[in-house]
Amino acid sequence: MQEKRNFLSPDDMSVEQLEQVFALADRITADPDAFKDICHGKVLATLFYEPSTRTRLSFEAAMHRLGGSVIGFSDASSSSATKGETVADTARMIGCYADIVAMRHPVEGAPQAAALYCNVPVINAGDGGHQHPTQTLTDLYTIRAKLGRLNNLTVGLCGDLKFGRTVHSLIQALSRYENITFVCISPKELVLPDYIFAQNCEGTNIRFEICEDLQEVIGKLDILYMTRIQRERFDDPDEYERLKDVYVLDNKKMAAAKEDMIVLHPLPRVNEIATEVDDDPRATYFAQAQYGMYARMALIMTLLGTEQNKKTLGGQMHLWQMPSPRQDKHLRCVNPKCLCTVQTTLPHLFVEKGGKKVCYYCDHEGVER
Ligand code: NCD
């Protein structure tokens, strides 16, 4: 029997496996007709407990274009979560209806929990302020297409690095490529969480710079990754009001950037990129959304192990292992934003990362009981 594969964080794929997904996405882009029935008879469930435009629609478009069908909800209020159903129970049941699941949830670690209880592949489509690995697939596929490489890059990450889950996943993925420099541009209230730095950059040869002024560093960047200040994750609305327009990329700032720099943004944007920048040939954020659909088509095929995909991989389907999370009677997770502290019937589980025992769901370090 084939082992079930999930895609919960960029770490679930090696650099080689990512390249296989991108190579497959290239083939789909070149000849979409050849793939139009590949997932005939398969059902994707999109369980979106949090708003989304691009991620949900690109997943649904991806499945339709592969000849499969889609069920699901785009609003938690129309699901049984409002009656108090746990993620674990929903996950147990969804495997009876669907062949693959994409889940977005406002609480960190929810798709990771679903993957434990669901008997079909689970894709993390964004969990709270933690991870967003399919946006990272989109980002990497865009960078590879536009710049022709995923190494030798100076990447500016600008805006809300604290709550911006797309940045967390992008750092996790890119830190495995050669010669990467991250330039983290944020106000001090919104700096990258320590655990993201510790688990991905500390002790590696990644160069890591921190600054507050975009203008000061824009000239050295190959990629400028702009992000929205994540209003929905702030505990204090006044703090959001104070920080919301802290960075606005405009043509004046773009004048100091390299001619071949690309501007990425996972979207939606609010004010952080002036619309005048949209006409600049370096503005790549709308193309990025289109690359995302092809990347997700390739991901769905890969996780479902379609015949066509086996051929693409020369008959070799690579399987990657779920980490083996374990209970530890001395440890618990105390992250108030993690599902295991919110839905208390969920066991606290830990995996080893960088010599530390971290929560399987949210990656925060375990605390002595
Ligand atoms: C991002 C997300 O949901 O994290 N959007 C997306 O999926 N493309 C970014 C955001 O909401 O700011």
Side-chain angles (χ1 to χ4, degrees):
M1 199 178 99
Q2 198 171 62
E3 187 159 346
K4 171 170 95 89
R5 282 151 287 153
N6 303 296
F7 190 56
L8 302 169
S9 91
D11 274 353
D12 287 340
M13 282 195 215
S14 66
V15 165
E16 293 71 33
Q17 287 163 341
L18 286 171
E19 184 48 38
Q20 285 169 349
V21 172
F22 300 145
L24 179 56
D26 285 344
R27 293 189 47 214
I28 300 170
T29 311
D31 186 8
D33 245 28
F35 296 85
K36 69 180 188 331
D37 295 319
I38 271 309
C39 289
H40 178 74
K42 299 286 183 193
V43 177
L44 164 74
T46 53
L47 311 184
F48 276 60
Y49 296 80
E50 204 184 47
S52 169
T53 304
R54 269 149 299 271
T55 304
R56 186 174 60 81
L57 293 183
S58 69
F59 263 117
E60 297 191 357
M63 193 53 165
H64 285 302
R65 284 171 187 271
L66 293 170
S69 45
V70 181
I71 58 172
F73 52 83
S74 56
D75 182 355
S77 65
S78 65
S79 81
S80 280
T82 53
K83 301 179 190 167
E85 185 167 58
T86 62
V87 167
D89 282 359
T90 306
R92 271 200 183 96
M93 174 272 317
I94 200 72
C96 310
Y97 308 147
D99 300 286
I100 186 164
V101 176
M103 177 187 274
R104 168 171 290 193
H105 202 286
V107 182
E108 298 182 18
Q112 289 80 346
L116 291 177
Y117 294 91
C118 185
N119 61 353
V120 299
V122 175
I123 300 170
N124 179 359
D127 64 314
H130 180 217
Q131 292 275 358
H132 193 345
T134 66
Q135 182 62 46
T136 297
L137 274 190
T138 300
D139 300 340
L140 297 184
Y141 190 49
T142 307
I143 296 167
R144 179 181 171 279
K146 289 287 174 187
L147 299 181
R149 65 183 194 280
L150 286 165
N151 47 23
N152 303 320
L153 292 169
T154 299
V155 185
L157 303 161
C158 180
D160 188 345
L161 310 189
K162 179 180 180 185
F163 298 120
R165 56 193 175 194
T166 63
V167 168
H168 303 166
S169 292
L170 187 58
I171 289 179
Q172 189 176 94
L174 270 181
S175 59
R176 290 179 288 156
Y177 291 84
E178 294 295 315
N179 195 20
I180 300 292
T181 302
F182 292 118
V183 183
C184 290
I185 310 147
S186 75
K188 46 188 173 316
E189 293 87 343
L190 298 177
V191 294
L192 192 76
D194 287 343
Y195 78 93
I196 301 285
F197 175 77
Q199 287 168 24
N200 301 292
C201 304
E202 205 166 59
T204 69
N205 52 9
I206 301 287
R207 284 177 300 279
F208 197 87
E209 299 171 22
I210 296 175
C211 77
E212 283 190 52
D213 187 353
L214 172 57
Q215 189 76 65
E216 212 173 83
V217 293
I218 195 167
K220 65 177 171 186
L221 305 178
D222 299 310
I223 298 165
L224 173 57
Y225 193 94
M226 295 297 294
T227 62
R228 175 178 70 89
I229 309 295
Q230 306 278 299
R231 182 181 54 189
E232 66 276 31
R233 316 239 183 264
F234 278 69
D235 293 327
D236 175 4
D238 292 342
E239 183 165 73
Y240 170 73
E241 287 302 319
R242 204 160 38 75
L243 296 173
K244 65 178 186 190
D245 292 327
V246 61
Y247 299 109
V248 181
L249 181 68
D250 55 15
N251 282 345
K252 192 160 160 265
K253 290 200 183 70
M254 287 295 286
K258 288 186 193 171
E259 260 175 40
D260 59 351
M261 183 190 82
I262 55 171
V263 183
L264 300 180
H265 190 309
L267 303 176
R269 75 167 145 193
V270 187
N271 286 326
E272 59 279 359
I273 303 180
T275 51
E276 65 184 20
V277 179
D278 299 355
D279 297 328
D280 189 306
R282 295 168 290 185
T284 308
Y285 30 92
F286 293 118
Q288 191 181 351
Q290 192 180 4
Y291 284 115
M293 184 185 73
Y294 293 111
R296 289 184 172 102
M297 288 168 83
L299 177 69
I300 291 170
M301 284 179 60
T302 302
L303 294 179
L304 286 176
T306 59
E307 285 307 310
Q308 179 72 22
N309 191 34
K310 282 182 199 157
K311 275 184 224 144
T312 309
L313 303 178
Q316 289 284 310
M317 270 305 293
H318 284 268
L319 298 181
W320 54 98
Q321 301 285 324
M322 288 262 289
S324 323
R326 289 180 201 289
Q327 269 177 307
D328 181 320
K329 62 179 191 294
H330 303 296
L331 290 179
R332 66 198 167 103
C333 173
V334 293
N335 173 10
K337 296 187 166 163
C338 177
L339 192 74
C340 77
T341 66
V342 175
Q343 295 189 356
T344 50
T345 49
L346 208 56
H348 287 216
L349 296 173
F350 296 88
V351 288
E352 191 116 349
K353 270 194 192 163
K356 296 201 168 106
K357 283 191 176 165
V358 303
C359 173
Y360 158 74
Y361 308 99
C362 73
D363 288 324
H364 281 64
E365 206 176 325
V367 167
E368 292 284 324
R369 277 183 192 273

